[in-house]
Amino acid sequence: MQIRLTYFSKAVRDMSLQDIQDILGTARSNNADLEVCGMLCYESRWFLQTLEGDRDDVNELFLEIADDPRHDDVVISSYEYVDQRQFPDWHMGYAASSGAVNAMLLEFGMESFDPPAMTADQSVAFLSAMSQRQDRDAA
Ligand code: FAD
């Protein structure tokens, strides 16, 4: 059974590029082994992440992530069973503070990156749009 879990959390301090690279390095290697895909966005100390994959693998991985001391106030914003993955091409895509994120926020009618104010659908749609944009930019 495949699921998509989306959560947001607050970084305990400003994350440096190296901090983010460390997270992504571990995430991409572990997620590839587990065949878990997803997308992570970091902006204004907020993390917004979606994880897709086998239910037990994602549940277990999420518990580990939620326990990570680099962030707290972890809130699951949606948990759904899916027939098809929306992020099949990324073991962990990433978007951070950039013109692309700001442009996407405007497209979504948001003035700032504020995951607690986003609906569950908006969160997934935002991350999906960011991953599609990365696919386009990388092509
Ligand atoms: P290690 O990376 O060696 O970590 C061992 C322990 O040390 C873990 O408890 C870890 O939380 C802690 N740790 C590691 N580095 C630091 C550090 N710099 N500061 C403080 N504590 C540290 N992992 C994934 O596998 N997939 C993901 O998609 C994923 N997404 C993440 C998203 C966010 C926002 C954060 C903060 C972390 C994410 N992680 C992800 C990392 C995850 O929380 C665990 O660190 C990782 O799964 C453990 O990997 P590991 O077994 O190789 O051990």
Side-chain angles (χ1 to χ4, degrees), residues 14 16 21 29 43 52 58-59 67 69 100 105 109 114 120-121 125 131:
D14 285 335
S16 67
Q21 279 170 351
S29 159
E43 161 78 32
E52 283 182 345
V58 172
N59 287 350
D67 213 26
L105 286 172
D114 185 14
D121 286 350
S131 83

Side-chain angles (χ1 to χ4, degrees), residues 6 17 23 29 36 41 51 53 55 85 87 92 99-100 103 119 123:
T6 305
L17 188 58
I23 291 172
S29 159
V36 167
C41 189
L51 299 161
R55 181 182 62 185
R85 294 191 185 199
F87 303 87
M92 191 42 61
T119 65
S123 301

